[in-house]
Amino acid sequence: MRAICHREGLLSACQLASAAIPTRDIKPILKNLKAIAGDGRCTLMATDLELGIRLDVQGLTIQEPGEAILPASRLIAILREARDAELSIEADPSSCVIRGASLEFELLSEDPSQFPDVPTFNEEKYHEITAGSLREMIRRTIFATADDQGRYSMTGVMWELEDGVARLVATDGKRLAIAQGTATSWAATRRRAKCRWCRRRR
């Protein structure tokens, strides 16, 4: 794999994808990001075997398609400290080379085929919600989740999705937080598309 990227854009993408990198030692390869370059785009993947992130990176020029394992912590540190606006990344199963006008780093890599697959979402039934609304709903509920790992069912936030509503609920047994927002269901999306098609036919 060989690509030229904008440093700041790649840094933001790596930092976002790294949220799925496990904090505990599960498998050494999970401390990395997997990059798949091809068809004019590059996809970053990370997983802790419970949470998975697939992220399309914008602003990359793919010179040679392929797959690569990128050492997450070292790559983020390099991108954060570098001052070049553009960097080139060349990777194979044994190494990852990062070059700029004033720098060059060579990092050890691994075989991309050993990285667990992060499946794509192909289900037809889904809801869409704006990022800002979802962020606010999470902020209003996450404080009420339990810290005690023994109460596993209360350490997360429950989601309820109905026709046009998304509802988040969290409790630790003492506090209860509920946040509600607007969500567009797949059925409503299909109805609108059908109505537009009908109008065109008429």
Side-chain angles (χ1 to χ4, degrees):
M1 186 195 86
R2 185 184 303 133
I4 297 176
C5 63
H6 295 292
R7 181 187 63 83
E8 291 186 0
L10 183 59
L11 174 59
S12 297
C14 289
Q15 288 174 327
L16 180 57
S18 66
I21 292 177
T23 55
R24 60 189 189 280
D25 191 12
I26 302 175
K27 293 174 65 175
I29 198 169
L30 297 182
K31 295 291 186 181
N32 303 290
L33 301 171
K34 182 177 181 178
I36 303 176
D39 298 328
R41 68 176 186 177
C42 180
T43 301
L44 288 181
M45 295 190 296
T47 182
D48 62 2
L49 301 181
E50 293 181 358
L51 167 68
I53 293 179
R54 295 176 63 97
L55 180 65
D56 286 340
V57 185
Q58 305 296 324
L60 268 74
T61 302
I62 309 300
Q63 297 180 319
E64 183 178 321
E67 299 182 356
I69 296 296
L70 307 176
S73 60
R74 291 193 178 103
L75 177 60
I76 290 173
I78 291 169
L79 294 173
R80 188 182 292 121
E81 296 300 325
R83 292 295 174 261
D84 297 334
E86 287 191 340
L87 298 172
S88 70
I89 297 179
E90 185 174 348
D92 58 35
S94 62
S95 65
C96 172
V97 180
I98 303 169
R99 294 188 179 93
S102 58
L103 60 85
E104 180 173 331
F105 290 90
E106 183 172 358
L107 308 174
L108 292 177
S109 187
E110 298 185 52
D111 183 2
S113 65
Q114 301 301 313
F115 195 90
D117 185 41
V118 178
T120 56
F121 182 77
N122 296 318
E123 180 62 51
E124 287 187 355
K125 297 182 179 180
Y126 61 89
H127 282 70
E128 292 181 352
I129 185 169
T130 62
S133 178
L134 179 58
R135 185 184 304 113
E136 181 64 17
M137 291 166 64
I138 292 173
R139 186 189 68 80
R140 291 186 176 189
T141 53
I142 198 168
F143 74 92
T145 57
D147 295 326
D148 183 6
Q149 294 299 319
R151 308 175 73 183
Y152 184 76
S153 62
M154 294 185 177
T155 59
V157 178
M158 184 182 74
W159 292 46
E160 291 182 344
L161 297 171
E162 296 176 344
D163 289 340
V165 177
R167 186 178 299 107
L168 273 60
V169 182
T171 183
D172 60 2
K174 297 178 181 178
R175 299 174 294 184
L176 175 67
I178 301 175
Q180 186 169 294
T182 303
T184 305
S185 70
W186 71 281
T189 302
R190 291 185 63 180
R191 281 197 300 269
R192 286 200 302 270
K194 185 176 180 180
C195 289
R196 287 196 296 269
W197 184 82
C198 291
R199 286 196 296 271
R200 286 199 298 270
R201 292 280 293 181
R202 289 197 296 269

